[in-house]
Amino acid sequence: MKILVTGGAGFIGSNFCDYCFSNEPSSIVEKIIVIDKLGYSGSIENIKELQNRDNFVFIQADICDQKIVSNILFEEKINAVVHFAAESHVDRSIDNPEIFVQSNVLGTFKLLESSFHYVSSLPRKERDKFRFVHISTDEVYGSIPLEDPPVKEGGVYDPSSPYSASKAASDHFVLAYHKTYGFPAMITHSSNNYGPRQHPEKMIPHMICNALEEKELPVYGKGLNVRDWIYVEDHCAGIWRVLNRGRLGEVYHIAKGKGMTNFELVQKICSQLDELFPRSSGRRYAELIRFVIDRPGHDLRYAIDVAKMKNELGWEAQVELEEGLRKTILWYVQHKDWIRSVLDRGYLLKRQGLCRSVVNNA
């Protein structure tokens, strides 16, 4: 199998490449070609070790460049596309929504066009083997009431942020290409990811880095927003299962299936840090927690049902949160040079507030 991984120099994309070369897929994967424009969240550091492999190729380019993408597809004789490339930071989408439309909507459309024309040119046998997996998010469903059960595949879309709206739009394009043209695509919706190489703007690494530097730990609102956290390697294993066993035109939810409030999560991070790296003052890290003004349109709860992945594909997440957090904390402590290189490229948003003003209709 030759796989084109878009956004493969990003957090989840680079971990997926690692997974393909070191786990069950290693006997099947002949070659991985990564295309990534190296925006703020993509880093050559994330794939540095992979570049020594003969069966790994990195190409710096934008998926909106159909000529480059088409050349890769035809020249490499790609068998599968796993599409991670996207702007994914909600705060950034509120501040500058246009780049999310460009990357997530237009980028996905152009990638679909390039892939569709490539697949159409293949002999029937090769065409039947081709797969396109679009990586999406639980945020497209909007806020799920606390009393409601987790939403199942096919649930009603109700995006709240420019980010989730752009991902919802890209989902619709993918399914439309399947329904209209028979394009061999599938979609995965995951819950919040965490683990090695996640950009320090994201919640878990942000808390880890701030705590170790004795900075405040800013939590939106009262910290009551509920999220389901999945360790990135579990997510990658789920994507691989969908790629190889999923049914065309289907949507699959990849999550741990356990929700907790943001405040509870930060407390867990602080407790592990207290054990692993006690403060020199002897005080607890939880004393650094500060509640800050909530962001606009902040969904109270995300919750997706994972029964389909378990019952149909025999997959479920393996890493418990406590184990995953410990691995993540240790990774960030051991990779301070990586953190510094990422932050040196620009760290524009802070959780205490956003750059764009919001109209008050009260």
Side-chain angles (χ1 to χ4, degrees):
M1 183 184 292
K2 292 184 178 180
I3 308 174
L4 173 61
V5 178
T6 72
F11 164 48
I12 307 176
S14 64
N15 275 279
F16 179 75
C17 293
D18 282 345
Y19 180 83
C20 287
F21 285 133
S22 59
N23 292 273
E24 171 195 349
S26 60
S27 61
I28 302 172
V29 175
E30 179 182 347
K31 190 175 187 179
I32 289 180
I33 297 90
V34 161
I35 180 171
D36 197 302
K37 68 179 181 180
L38 296 183
Y40 89 94
S41 60
S43 172
I44 200 71
E45 293 292 317
N46 291 343
I47 53 174
K48 183 169 63 175
E49 294 182 8
L50 295 176
Q51 291 187 290
N52 296 323
R53 302 183 63 98
D54 294 334
N55 57 348
F56 179 86
V57 175
F58 169 67
I59 299 170
Q60 184 175 354
D62 193 325
I63 57 171
C64 288
D65 191 328
Q66 287 182 257
K67 183 177 180 180
I68 290 179
V69 173
S70 293
N71 285 343
I72 295 171
L73 291 167
F74 280 93
E75 291 176 9
E76 296 287 351
K77 297 180 172 56
I78 296 296
N79 307 117
V81 174
V82 183
H83 177 35
F84 293 96
E87 297 286 343
S88 63
H89 198 288
V90 175
D91 287 2
R92 285 178 178 266
S93 80
I94 296 171
D95 185 54
N96 188 358
E98 184 174 352
I99 62 172
F100 285 73
V101 175
Q102 287 290 329
S103 294
N104 301 356
V105 185
L106 185 60
T108 298
F109 163 70
K110 291 199 171 186
L111 180 64
L112 284 167
E113 277 287 280
S114 299
S115 301
F116 169 69
H117 289 297
Y118 166 68
V119 172
S120 299
S121 74
L122 295 174
R124 181 60 182 267
K125 184 178 179 180
E126 296 303 314
R127 190 188 315 158
D128 290 344
K129 293 180 181 178
F130 185 88
R131 295 292 184 268
F132 183 105
V133 180
H134 175 60
I135 311 303
S136 191
T137 172
D138 57 1
E139 297 190 36
V140 298
Y141 298 115
S143 188
I144 309 302
L146 293 174
E147 65 275 12
D148 284 7
V151 64
K152 295 180 181 292
E153 289 86 349
V156 176
Y157 279 29
D158 187 23
S160 301
S161 69
Y163 161 61
S164 56
S166 69
K167 292 300 289 185
S170 64
D171 288 0
H172 290 318
F173 269 104
V174 172
L175 290 180
Y177 267 64
H178 172 73
K179 293 176 182 178
T180 303
Y181 307 114
F183 184 69
M186 296 167 284
I187 294 175
T188 65
H189 290 148
S190 84
S191 60
N192 285 33
N193 280 236
Y194 69 100
R197 300 196 293 272
Q198 188 173 31
H199 195 284
E201 279 185 343
K202 297 289 187 168
M203 185 173 183
I204 288 179
H206 187 68
M207 295 300 164
I208 295 170
C209 295
N210 270 24
L212 292 174
E213 293 181 6
E214 296 283 336
K215 295 180 179 178
E216 291 185 351
L217 307 181
V219 177
Y220 280 138
K222 296 181 179 179
L224 299 179
N225 304 77
V226 176
R227 300 293 183 264
D228 180 356
W229 295 90
I230 183 170
Y231 191 63
V232 66
E233 187 174 350
D234 272 342
H235 184 196
C236 293
I239 294 168
W240 178 257
R241 192 64 60 91
V242 171
L243 175 62
N244 285 272
R245 302 186 193 178
R247 290 182 290 130
L248 298 183
E250 291 292 313
V251 175
Y252 294 93
H253 288 169
I254 301 177
K256 182 64 177 171
K258 298 179 181 178
M260 69 170 51
T261 68
N262 287 345
F263 183 52
E264 290 172 324
L265 173 68
V266 177
Q267 287 180 309
K268 284 183 179 292
I269 294 171
C270 290
S271 294
Q272 291 223 12
L273 287 169
D274 286 334
E275 176 189 344
L276 295 169
F277 305 100
R279 297 174 68 186
S280 58
S281 65
R283 304 180 71 171
R284 296 170 59 247
Y285 282 101
E287 295 178 36
L288 297 172
I289 295 174
R290 300 290 184 273
F291 295 109
V292 299
I293 297 174
D294 209 351
R295 74 178 178 216
H298 196 182
D299 291 325
L300 178 60
R301 173 181 177 241
Y302 298 138
I304 50 178
D305 189 286
V306 296
K308 184 175 179 179
M309 282 292 294
K310 183 177 181 179
N311 297 335
E312 184 177 316
L313 302 184
W315 174 93
E316 57 184 328
Q318 300 298 311
V319 180
E320 295 298 333
L321 182 65
E322 287 72 17
E323 176 190 355
L325 284 178
R326 181 172 292 258
K327 289 181 178 180
T328 303
I329 290 169
L330 292 175
W331 189 90
Y332 280 91
V333 169
Q334 295 162 6
H335 291 82
K336 292 180 180 178
D337 288 344
W338 179 91
I339 296 170
R340 192 174 301 111
S341 69
V342 171
L343 295 183
D344 284 347
R345 298 173 59 199
Y347 186 47
L348 304 178
L349 292 172
K350 298 182 182 296
R351 290 187 178 272
Q352 284 85 345
L354 301 171
C355 301
R356 175 179 288 220
S357 61
V358 178
V359 175
N360 185 348
N361 292 318

